[in-house]
Every structure is written in C-alpha cells, then in structure tokens.
Amino acid sequence: MRKNIKLTALAATAAALTVSLSACGSSSDPSSKADGGKTDESKALVIAASPSPHADILKFVKDNLAAKDGLKLEVKEFTDYVLPNTATQQGQVDANYFQHVPYLDDFNKKNGTDIVPVVNVHLEPLGLYSKKVKALTDIKAGQTVAVPNDPTNEGRALQLLAANNLITLKEGVGTAAKLSDITDKKGLEFKELEAATVPRALNDVDAAVINGNYAIEAKLVPAKDALVLEKAEGNPYANILAVKNGNQDDPRIQKLAKLLNSDEVKKFIEDKYQGSVVPAFGKPTA
C-alpha cells in the first residue's frame, strides 16, 4: 500500500466521491438490504482498492473465482489512502483492500472511525536498495541511508536495518521506532524523506529503504534488486481486507475473504509478481 497520505483538495474530492458512490447502490446502504434488514446476497459487493496489486488481485477473483460462489464484485480504484477508509466508514463501499493493520489502527485513532480487519492477503516487502553498493556487507560507516519519514514506515524501515545488523535500536521500541531510538548508528548517516520520493534519491545516497509499491513503480524488482527484503512470515504489515465494524459476518464478505486466501490467488500472486508481492494469508494480528 502507499503509506504517504496526501490531503491536498481532500474536501473537494470527498464531496465528489460521495456524489459518485451514492449512485452506485452500495449494498451497505439501507436500500440495498432485503426485506427484514438482512443482507441481500444477490447485490454486488463494492470494494475500494489501490490500483496495484490490490485491484489486480480482486479482478482476478472477480473474473475467475467469484461466480462459482455466487458472489458479484465491483472494484473501485483509489489512488489515495484516506478516501477508501472514509467511504467504508460511511457505507459508500462495502469494504476496502489497500492497507495494513498498523496504518488502519493509526487511522482509526486519528479519525474516530470504526474499521476492522477481516483477513490478511499479501505483503509488499519493504527493502533496502542501492545503486552504489552490491551487497549488504558493503554498507560501511560514513555512508548515508535514506528512510521514509512517516511514523509507520520509518519504524518499519529501522526495524529492517536493525534486523540486518546495520543499526542497534532501544529494546521494546518495536515498529514505533524513530531515529532518536537508535542506540548505535554504526557510523551511518540518515536522510528522512517522504516515502514516495525515496526511490528518486537512490542516486544521491548510498542506500535507501523503499516501500514495495514505490519500488515497483520505480521499475525496481524487489525480489532481484533489493539488498535485503522483509520476511513475510509473522509480518504485521500484511495488506488486509477491511470492513466497518459489524459487517464482518456479511456472507459476501466471508466468501470474498475465503477466495482471497485460496490456492488460486496464491498461485496468481506468485506467478504474476515473482516475489515482489508475496502471499501472506491468515488472520490479522492484533
């Protein structure tokens, strides 16, 4: 997911979204419920998603798997990371698929929303890249490493560096780590940048920690080009299917969750993304 939140013209965009989505007859609206207040399973399930890989994965499900389970899907693509959650909270879409749990938790806290994870789907591994060194062991004292400057991703980046013995962090700081939590920089210098701009800094620094989606957009191949990548197992940054609290038991949501964790989707992700996006199925961690 893209972790950088751009709020420019948000109010105008949100207003336009409300108008456009209200016309789609989302099944979260009262008008889309069958008599008696129960969910009408014949209605399309409307999902807000980032274009890639999220929407691509959903379109694979829609085109190849959904009909067999009697599920109708409508995928709406968003290029920012605020509107999918506000649309889900307001019932303009039924669910979203673009974020990980740490981002969602922070969003709920800051915005008073009540959105909950349903199931993990994939991980876009954070990686350390360089155009100046060929191996992790070539990174030495005096060199500069760029890291994302937003709280979620900076902590994630520092944990990756610590896990690979490039720095030492205070015990217990976890994914909330900041530069001030580094107890031993091992001679490295750090440059904080907006996450989306980090790939463009590769020529100006010795190495950089880059989010998976931004690496792909920059024509990097994480599985081949990264000096080191995050591991998928037990990773809290798996991207999730999420809904407004109370909608977890919607039969259509349960069908979609099952399909997103299917063997067919696993194969699709592995074949299409070749390690740049990896399956990370299962129940989200708290």
Side-chain angles (χ1 to χ4, degrees):
M1 68 167 273
R2 302 174 189 272
K3 316 303 187 302
N4 179 52
I5 304 171
K6 296 185 178 180
L7 297 176
T8 305
L10 180 57
T13 307
L17 177 74
T18 300
V19 172
S20 63
L21 285 180
S22 62
C24 78
S26 165
S27 55
S28 292
D29 295 331
S31 59
S32 68
K33 301 287 185 179
D35 290 342
K38 295 182 180 179
T39 301
D40 184 351
E41 294 184 46
S42 68
K43 294 288 185 179
L45 191 67
V46 184
I47 313 295
S50 297
S52 181
H54 310 76
D56 293 336
I57 293 169
L58 287 169
K59 288 173 184 175
F60 171 79
V61 171
K62 178 181 179 180
D63 294 342
N64 297 277
L65 305 175
K68 298 175 184 177
D69 274 14
L71 179 64
K72 296 179 182 178
L73 285 180
E74 182 177 346
V75 181
K76 291 192 172 291
E77 296 186 13
F78 291 76
T79 56
D80 89 302
Y81 291 92
V82 174
L83 291 178
N85 274 336
T86 57
T88 302
Q89 180 71 24
Q90 295 167 8
Q92 295 163 340
V93 299
D94 298 295
N96 66 56
Y97 172 34
F98 77 102
Q99 64 192 324
H100 50 59
V101 169
Y103 176 83
L104 174 60
D105 288 345
D106 184 66
F107 187 94
N108 280 334
K109 182 178 179 180
K110 291 179 177 177
N111 295 278
T113 45
D114 189 21
I115 301 168
V116 296
V118 177
V119 69
N120 290 339
V121 183
H122 79 268
L123 176 73
E124 298 163 22
L126 199 74
L128 180 66
Y129 299 82
S130 178
K131 290 187 176 180
K132 298 182 180 180
V133 302
K134 299 296 184 182
L136 194 66
T137 53
D138 295 331
I139 297 178
K140 306 294 184 182
Q143 294 181 327
T144 300
V145 179
V147 296
N149 65 359
D150 58 286
T152 298
N153 286 307
E154 184 166 83
R156 186 179 177 187
L158 295 179
Q159 287 294 339
L160 177 67
L161 297 176
N164 288 278
N165 299 313
L166 292 176
I167 60 172
T168 303
L169 291 170
K170 294 177 184 175
E171 287 193 23
V173 293
T175 56
K178 306 180 292 294
L179 290 183
S180 59
D181 294 316
I182 300 176
T183 57
D184 185 358
K185 293 185 177 181
K186 300 189 178 181
L188 296 175
E189 299 294 330
F190 293 92
K191 188 172 185 178
E192 295 176 291
L193 298 170
E194 184 179 341
T197 70
V198 176
R200 298 198 291 272
L202 270 177
N203 290 324
D204 303 319
V205 296
D206 296 288
V209 181
I210 303 175
N211 291 84
N213 57 302
Y214 293 131
I216 293 168
E217 287 180 5
K219 308 302 181 184
L220 295 167
V221 180
K224 295 180 180 179
D225 296 330
L227 301 178
V228 65
L229 285 174
E230 288 178 313
K231 298 186 183 302
E233 185 177 352
N235 194 305
Y237 295 101
N239 281 208
I240 56 171
L241 177 68
V243 299
K244 183 176 181 180
N245 194 23
N247 293 337
Q248 301 94 310
D249 295 328
D250 182 327
R252 300 167 304 157
I253 292 292
Q254 292 300 311
K255 287 179 182 179
L256 178 58
K258 181 179 178 181
L259 292 175
L260 285 171
N261 273 199
S262 66
D263 290 340
E264 293 88 344
V265 167
K266 181 176 184 291
K267 186 176 187 303
F268 172 78
I269 292 173
E270 291 173 342
D271 290 349
K272 182 174 178 64
Y273 299 107
Q274 298 292 307
S276 297
V277 176
V278 295
F281 296 168
K283 185 177 179 181
T285 56

